[in-house]
Every structure is written in C-alpha cells, then in structure tokens.
Amino acid sequence: MKTLSAVLGMTAAAAMSLSSLPASAQTYPDRTITMVVPFSAGGPTDTVARLVAESMSKDLGQQIVVENVGGAGGTLGAGRVAQADPDGYTILLHHIGMATSATLYRKLAYDTLNAFEYVGLVTDVPMTIVARKDFEPTDLKGLVDYVKANKDTVTVANAGIGAASHLCGMLFMSAIETPLTTVPYKGTGPAMTDLLGGQVDIMCDQTTNTTKQIQGGTIKAYAVTSPERLAVLPDVPTAVEGGLDGFQVGIWHGVYAPKGTPSEATERLSKSLQVALQDPNVVARFAELGTVPSPAADATPAALKAKLEGEIARWKPVIEAAGQYAD
Ligand code: MLT
C-alpha cells in the first residue's frame, strides 16, 4: 500500500507536470470549437461531421460548431483551416480529397503534408453510381452502353475537382474509356437536388448521401463501390459484379487541425473522437447510411498521418496518368 508521503510526492509531481502545461492546455477546451466542412451543408461530409461533432461536444463539454466552406473541390475549406490560429479551436473534417488534391492542384494554397496536425480517422464510406430516376438504363452494363452511345449529351454531377464524386467519376470515365460532360457543384448536397429534379443525369456519390434516396426510389442505383454488397442496399450489386473489374473505392475521412496546434489539444480531440466513434447513436446512424466508424485505434494522429501519406503516394501516379489537373 502506498505510503502517504509517496501519494503526496506523486500528487506534487502530478501538480508539477500539470502546472508545466500552459494554462490553456490544462483547461482545453474552454470555449466553442469550429469544425470546418469543405463542402455544402446537407451533403455526405456534412452529415458525417455533424454526427461526430455532436457526440464529441458531449465528451469535451464544449460545443463543436460545423461551418461549411465549400468550393474548389474542398481545397477552399482546407485552406481556411491551414491559415487558422493553431489554438485548438478550429479543426477540419475532410476526406480522400485531401490526398487527391495534393496532386490535382499544382498551385495549392497550402502544403498538404506540412500545413496540418492530425487528430484521427473517422470512417471509410462506400460510393454508389446513381442516376435520375427516369434515366433509361436498368443495370450497370446498360448504363455503360448508354453513356458510350450518348457521350456528347450525358452529364455527370460532382462536387468539384478534388471531391470524392470527382475522383469516382474520373475512375468511372477512365474504366469505360469515355469522357463525359461534368457539372460541378460546391457539394453533392446541391448536386443531389438537381439529380432529383432531373437537371443532371448521373453521379457517383457516397452512401451517406444516397442511401435514403435509393431506398425511397427517388433516384436509380446501378452499383456500390464496396467489395461486398451493403446490408442497407441489398439489391444494389457491386461495381465488380456489374462488370467493372477492380472498380472499388472507399472515401476515408479524417479530422485535422492547423500546424502548430498543441499536442494536448489534438490528443484530447483524438480521445474524444474515439469516444464518439463508439457512441451507439453514431454507430447506428452510420449503419443506416451504409458505413461504419473507423476502429478507435485508427482515431489517432499517427494513423491519420500514415493514411494521408500513403494515399497521396497511391493517387499521384493515377492522377498524373489521367493528366487531369485543376490548374
Ligand atoms: C460533399 O460532402 O458534398 C461531398 O463529400 C462531396 C464530394 O466529395 O463528392
């Protein structure tokens, strides 16, 4: 049993180590945190961000407020956070676009691998290839044949160069060797409105934005880009089943902070993210939308850093081979 002096010694040491932390670190967070989402409100990234932010707010005891800064395929919002004060009160939730934009944009306003601190991975969302509900083709093979035959008139919606919908659309066009007319939006939230209205023909978008519409029959679904069919969309075949060999893509998401943000803050946020990803409400909502939370072990700065570095290296040769740059 520890002696009183040992306990006293320890609390003194703990007090010492705590007191060596800047006051702000001891009480972080002590006010509202802004989470920047680099796409429009109501879209898939916004949906994931608001679910996670709500749960993290409870754990942190401070509100995380989502701010949508859409445009330029997500690079405007990312740039906003790269420039923000590194005090732990501005963070970013972004996805695979963080990695693809590092190559797609040759004049990016920030150095992707040196402008951010890392908090952790969040989820990896499958994509779906969908169309307006009155679009003629009835399966993926029919869709491929139709768009090849009508390549001058078919339109593909996306959320700008660097977006997940842009990446998936680019992979689809190169898989069928048919360039199509793309229609950019600030997010697939507003793009979905036009797809529902029949103003655009097809889109490749995350299940977090399409599942409810597909289940409701308000849009047509041709494929999911996951290795297996999804429990929430049992009648939608995988793209590989539909004849697009190797066509698999998942949209991983992560939370970042400006470079220089104290590790006490990013570690605290990481702990809170881990709690949020095990929150039964978050788990249930993610499942309804066709995705699952990242394992708590991946909701760490080291895991996100490794993922981003690996994904930049993975997509660089693909993008350079396609030769499609944003600038
Ligand atoms: C969004 O939230 O609008 C999407 O993530 C856009 C995209 O990347 O396709």
Side-chain angles (χ1 to χ4, degrees), residues 38-41 43-45 69-76 95 105 132 155-166 181-205 209:
F39 297 101
S40 309
T45 312
V69 181
T75 60
L76 280 188
H95 57 39
Y105 289 78
R132 56 185 166 82
T155 54
V156 184
N158 69 37
I161 296 179
S165 47
H166 165 262
T181 305
T182 58
V183 182
Y185 295 78
K186 285 196 172 181
T188 53
M192 180 61 78
T193 306
D194 278 5
L195 193 74
L196 292 167
Q199 275 89 50
V200 283
D201 299 320
I202 63 177
M203 177 161 71
C204 190
D205 193 16
N209 200 35

Side-chain angles (χ1 to χ4, degrees), residues 15 17-28 264:
S17 67
L18 261 183
S19 61
S20 66
L21 291 175
S24 60
Q26 288 170 29
T27 57
Y28 177 84
E264 293 82 14

